[in-house]
Amino acid sequence: MLKEERQAYIIKQINLHNKVLSSDLSVQLAVSEDTIRRDLNELAESGKILKVYGGALSKSFHYPFQQNEVYAKDAKKIIVQKTMNLLQNGMVLLAGGGTTMIEWARSVPDNIECTVFTVSPLVGLELTERAGVEVILIGGQLSKNSHINTGALTINLLADIKVDLCIMGTNGLSYDAGVTESDWEVVQVKKAMLKSAQKTAIISIGEKLESVQKMKICGLNAVNYLITDLDPKDPQLTRYAEAVQVL
């Protein structure tokens, strides 16, 4: 594989999953970690990614208020509009974090009246602009990588609430492996979010289909809705429709 092809692959993985590890990329691309480190350094110097110890981060994820940096923005807007169809006045919602959820918060209609619990300060800030939305931030230790609150306090607070609908994104989504993540602390928070909700909607751009991260959150049978930018009748979603309602 040429360097340009290798670096294009690295950028796509970072944009899809927000964070990559040099060790994982080394295995996936069958090259040394030194080669990966040089690639990451070059990409960081050109301003395409954010280099961190052991890997790299997505600029799209870590600068969500810079509109030109949001990856697959058009696809995420489609997802947001589909998700709005689930909202009803008087609902109690639980919102996760991430760039798609921030787009969702920006798009909540001004005339909707609901209560939203969220583990994401960024999502919470956007929702406070809606007069009819009562925002309750679930506290905890703010993760520098995921930008959501994590830890024992967050999980304990989630255990004390019961919501109508939980809406959250995912790092990996596969028919066989289910909903997966790469961060142990985030996995624990998302499991607690699932337990707090009567129904759950997983939102994901179509590019993430059949991607698997190292840690499992749940199987598809634990999810009520799968919302992507694809047409629900798209062949890529045929198997998923057997296990979950696809929107």
Side-chain angles (χ1 to χ4, degrees):
M1 183 180 289
L2 298 174
K3 181 175 76 171
E4 291 78 10
E5 295 175 314
R6 192 171 63 240
Q7 292 188 357
Y9 176 87
I10 291 171
I11 290 173
K12 182 171 184 179
Q13 293 304 305
I14 291 174
N15 282 329
L16 283 178
H17 304 298
N18 304 323
K19 178 182 178 181
V20 294
L21 299 176
S22 300
S23 56
D24 290 343
L25 290 172
S26 174
V27 173
Q28 292 165 14
L29 294 169
V31 295
S32 69
E33 285 196 46
D34 285 338
T35 298
I36 295 299
R37 278 191 286 269
R38 287 194 294 270
D39 284 337
L40 294 180
N41 285 333
E42 286 185 22
L43 292 170
E45 288 170 3
S46 63
K48 295 177 180 177
I49 64 169
L50 299 173
K51 180 77 168 63
V52 296
Y53 179 78
L57 304 173
S58 163
K59 291 183 70 176
S60 169
F61 184 81
H62 282 264
Y63 297 110
F65 296 109
Q66 296 182 11
Q67 296 294 302
N68 61 325
E69 295 288 355
V70 176
Y71 180 71
K73 186 174 180 180
D74 289 341
K76 291 174 181 178
K77 284 188 174 295
I78 293 172
I79 293 170
V80 165
Q81 291 308 310
K82 289 183 180 182
T83 306
M84 291 303 164
N85 294 328
L86 298 176
L87 300 190
Q88 298 178 15
N89 279 323
M91 290 185 80
V92 179
L93 305 170
L94 176 57
T99 52
T100 309
M101 287 305 305
I102 291 174
E103 289 293 327
W104 173 81
R106 289 173 179 153
S107 302
V108 170
D110 289 325
N111 61 350
I112 194 80
E113 294 185 359
C114 63
T115 299
V116 181
F117 289 89
T118 182
V119 294
S120 168
L122 299 179
V123 169
L125 283 171
E126 291 290 345
L127 287 170
T128 57
E129 300 297 319
R130 304 291 175 264
V133 178
E134 180 181 358
V135 182
I136 303 173
L137 184 64
I138 301 292
Q141 182 176 354
L142 182 59
S143 166
K144 294 180 179 179
N145 289 334
S146 64
H147 290 175
I148 67 170
N149 292 330
T150 61
L153 175 59
T154 305
I155 293 169
N156 288 338
L157 290 171
L158 286 167
D160 289 335
I161 65 173
K162 180 60 71 174
V163 303
D164 300 308
L165 177 67
C166 170
I167 308 171
M168 64 181 177
T170 181
N171 219 332
L173 182 63
S174 161
Y175 178 82
D176 293 319
V179 183
T180 55
E181 276 287 346
S182 58
D183 186 307
W184 176 253
E185 292 288 344
V186 173
V187 169
Q188 304 315 306
V189 170
K190 289 190 173 182
K191 284 185 175 182
M193 291 173 69
L194 284 169
K195 291 179 181 178
S196 298
Q198 291 184 12
K199 293 186 176 182
T200 298
I202 295 294
I203 59 175
S204 173
I205 58 174
E207 288 182 75
K208 287 187 180 180
L209 293 178
E210 294 310 304
S211 64
V212 180
Q213 297 298 306
K214 294 181 177 179
M215 290 166 250
K216 185 171 183 175
I217 296 170
C218 67
L220 289 178
N221 59 353
V223 177
N224 300 96
Y225 307 104
L226 171 59
I227 306 175
T228 78
D229 55 302
L230 303 174
D231 186 298
K233 296 181 180 178
D234 190 295
Q236 296 180 72
L237 293 169
T238 301
R239 294 182 71 202
Y240 289 87
E242 297 172 0
V244 62
Q245 184 175 348
V246 175
L247 302 180

